[in-house]
Amino acid sequence: QVQLVESGGGLVQPGGSLRLSCVASGSIFSILAMDWYRQALGKQRELVATITSGGSTNYADSVKGRFTISRDNAKNTVHLQMNSLKPEDTAVYYCNAMKELSGIRVGAGYWGQGTQVTVSS
């Protein structure tokens, strides 16, 4: 029902910045809660940041103060601005979407294909 496409990944030196984007198809973006996850090689997928349909945000402790999640409902897009990148941020980053009803997440999530972020000298 909802298709997600991530972009913006690449190779960056430690201390650098990248901005990831996730574009959602369909007409229900305004009622979707959007999340960014990442999965490093050999590790489990972890939640990085989330933004509700109302714009409330939350972050993993490891990225607080460095990453910012935002949404542009007019463009059906969620962004993840990543600053002060560290080698340990290297991972495939995925966006996830879930419907919200009365502020409560319902149903199964939708996933994008992921975009690779590599932080290395």
Side-chain angles (χ1 to χ4, degrees), residues 7-10 17-22 36 68 70 75 77-83 85 115 117:
S7 63
S17 298
L18 286 173
R19 191 182 75 154
L20 307 184
S21 298
C22 175
W36 282 100
T68 302
S70 62
K75 297 182 178 180
T77 302
V78 63
H79 301 285
L80 185 67
Q81 179 67 46
M82 306 186 297
N83 299 325
L85 283 163
T115 185
V117 172

Side-chain angles (χ1 to χ4, degrees), residues 35-47:
D35 303 325
W36 282 100
Y37 287 79
R38 67 186 181 188
Q39 187 166 20
L41 285 175
K43 296 185 177 180
Q44 296 182 348
R45 186 176 60 189
E46 64 176 346
L47 179 63

